[in-house]
Amino acid sequence: MLASFRRLSKSTVGTAIMGIILILILVGFAMGDIQSVISGGGFRGSSDTLVKIGSKTVTDRDMSRAMERRLSQARQQNPSADYASIAADWDPLLNAVIDARTVEAFAHKFGSVLSKRLVDAQIANIPGAKGLGGKFTDASYQNFLREQRMTDEEVRMIVSSGLLQQLIIAPVVVNAKAPVGMATPYASILLEGRSGEVAFVPTAAFRQGLNPTSADIDRYYAANQRRYMVPEQRVLRIAKIGPEQVTNVQPSDKEIDDYYKANGATYGSKETRVITQAVAPDQATANAIVQRIRGGQTFAAAAAPAGFTPEDISVGPQTKEQFTATAGANVAGAAFAAAEGATIGPIQTANGWNVVRIDKIEREGGKSLAAARPEIVQKLVADKRKEAIEAIVDKVQDALDGGASFPEAAAAGKLTPIETPPLTASGTSPANAAYKFPADLAPALKSGFELGEGDEPVVDSLPNDGGYVLVAPARVIPAAPAPLASIRDRVTQDWIASQASQRAQQLAQSIASKVGKGSLADASKGAPVAVKVEPVNARRIQLSQFQGQVPPPLAMLFILGEGKSRLVAGGQGEGFYVVKVDKIIPGNALNQPALIGRTQQEMQQALAEEYGAQFTNAMRQTVGVKRNEKAITASKARITSTGS
């Protein structure tokens, strides 16, 4: 069973299911306490209960948290987004939450229980819960929870719901397949051909001679103020805490010397000795080996009568640490204190009597204090500067904790504050197009728009070891239309474009009403501007090459019936098209089995989604779903009307 689910996650259908689960995780549907609901015929529950699903509920707090997380996602793409701008997401989010709770209630009703071990395994695979080594660590998981503003219980609820959907819904949709008889008519539609005419009336042809009066501009501006809205602006107070605030961080000679001594392993040379050693079972044998060496024999020849082969006595290159591990501290100490060519021993150890010869001494690396001084100074300066910056941050934070205002906290840290011009959340200044918010202070911009006007200032860390920044909003300017005087040229051009568009549309509508059963060329005769008429021929299957961006006249060609005509606006405001369909040629896919096969595959996901929706609806009926429409409407109005 589990293997089939793993295969499912790699299929088209499985991807769709996992996508649904990911959406639910992103919106954080399982936020808030699960409240028990009194059973009965009518809707009963706490005042903030929006929907009751079996023994589960969806509350106002659940939807507040879901919309909060959705807004956070939206601001990654559009920093000025607010709840009003994502109001359209309310209903899909509510339905997603209801479906998730439905699966939970259905599983509970029929005794489907997930083991803690299975949930733990899924949590361990959350990327944010893994440490630098790629493995789950409690510290990383706790940091993940803080970043996501979630509790362990909330995460477990989300993971459990996702697993239940895999286990309950996946088997229903995994084998969704469109039969040939269903796919063939749809494939034939793709082969349908159409021919006709298209007449184009350009807007640009009507711009000449349009000169609005001052009253025209005033009326147009008054009627279209929403087009000229300037997003909320803020004046931010900022004080950077960085290297420039820190002086006198040069280390003393003693600090440099102490660091050098403390890091001898880094700056000292590495000594390796090539060693030959024999470990005799008794002192007499060891003494005999030593006597033969002193008599002029090689170590190998001297050790041979005692039964040692050259392989037995060859130890090879050794550091002191390595030789200590094999021969003991006494032998290693004597060996590394001796000169090259010396013979040491016999020395008694737990293994016997050691006779050692120092064949060669090799030394490499190492730096004198003078040579190492520049890098030591650089390291100590960086450390001292960091400590000094942290000390300033502590002073500023202590001041804030004591209730200090922005100027008072900046003064406590001896900081130099600056005040920005009025900015939007993207960091641009509507009053000064040349202004650019400093990129290295980006965290201050984000926090400055998250804080309320009366909130306590905050200290944010800057990227790339840039230090910290103290930030607070000094003034909040609500969103409002730009003053007409500042955008008069723009409004003038918009008025001209609007008038030209209206006139082009009137001409195009006139042509469309006159064409009847005749040609567009005849209907266009006598037009006040040049109207371009061209034949058009296409098959429906060609529309896919536009990847969802089908030109409006071509899309209209496949909407109209034979002999029909209609006006359609251009997609880029370039003008208006009149489309007339002269002939429709039905397609026949019976001779193209490959196309039928592709159509079957494309229909598979739609069928899987339909099966999943139908099964979810059946689960809703099984567990019982009761909506409090009055509470839902009030909750939606309250949340989506909030500016931020």
Side-chain angles (χ1 to χ4, degrees), residues 64 66 74 150 234 369 458 473 500 547 613 617 635:
S64 293
M150 299 169 67
R234 294 191 174 199
L369 176 59
V458 297
Q547 299 180 344
N617 185 55
S635 179

Side-chain angles (χ1 to χ4, degrees), residues 123-169:
I123 292 175
N125 284 325
I126 297 174
K130 295 181 179 180
L132 296 177
K135 294 183 178 180
F136 175 88
T137 66
D138 185 65
S140 297
Y141 180 52
Q142 294 302 321
N143 186 55
F144 167 78
L145 293 178
R146 285 191 295 271
E147 289 178 351
Q148 299 300 318
R149 298 180 181 178
M150 299 169 67
T151 66
D152 175 64
E153 181 183 2
E154 290 170 344
V155 171
R156 289 182 179 279
M157 292 169 66
I158 293 172
V159 171
S160 296
S161 183
L163 287 170
L164 286 173
Q165 290 182 70
Q166 291 183 64
L167 295 170
I168 294 175
I169 299 180

Side-chain angles (χ1 to χ4, degrees), residues 295-311:
Q297 293 186 16
T298 63
F299 198 103
F308 293 101
T309 66
E311 291 76 16

